[in-house]
Amino acid sequence: KEPAATIVETLKDVTSYEGEDAVFECRLSRQTTQDAKWFLGDVPLQSNEMNEITVQGTRHTLILRKVTLEDCGPISFKVGQHTSAA
């Protein structure tokens, strides 16, 4: 069983105007096969035409495309027992 990854670079608050993209980044202590999940409030996010979720090594990125007022709220990133929020 692999050791758990920890969050070494936490999310930062982002201010965006309606119609702009909002970019959130988190970096882990190591590459992991553990499920890493993004949430807007309590809603899990998936990669689709509105959200782009990418992983490059230990860096996990969420891009919310053309944000609206409905996208306003806490974004959180969870891996294992660790959480970061902005």
Side-chain angles (χ1 to χ4, degrees):
K1 183 167 162 45
E2 67 176 337
T6 58
I7 297 171
V8 293
E9 194 176 297
T10 59
L11 293 176
K12 294 178 178 44
D13 290 341
V14 172
T15 302
S16 298
Y17 292 99
E18 213 167 2
E20 291 183 343
D21 292 351
V23 179
F24 297 89
E25 282 190 342
C26 219
R27 198 161 56 83
L28 301 180
S29 58
R30 57 193 298 284
Q31 291 188 38
T32 179
T33 55
Q34 281 180 285
D35 276 348
K37 294 186 172 53
W38 290 94
F39 295 86
L40 173 56
D42 295 330
V43 180
L45 298 174
Q46 297 174 354
S47 227
N48 57 33
E49 66 279 353
M50 297 305 294
N51 313 314
E52 183 182 329
I53 296 172
T54 57
V55 179
Q56 291 181 315
T58 60
R59 187 170 299 282
H60 292 250
T61 305
L62 166 68
I63 301 173
L64 298 179
R65 300 256 179 238
K66 297 183 176 42
V67 294
T68 65
L69 289 174
E70 288 77 47
D71 296 320
C72 189
I75 294 285
S76 56
F77 174 82
K78 297 180 182 171
V79 61
Q81 300 298 311
H82 304 280
T83 302
S84 179

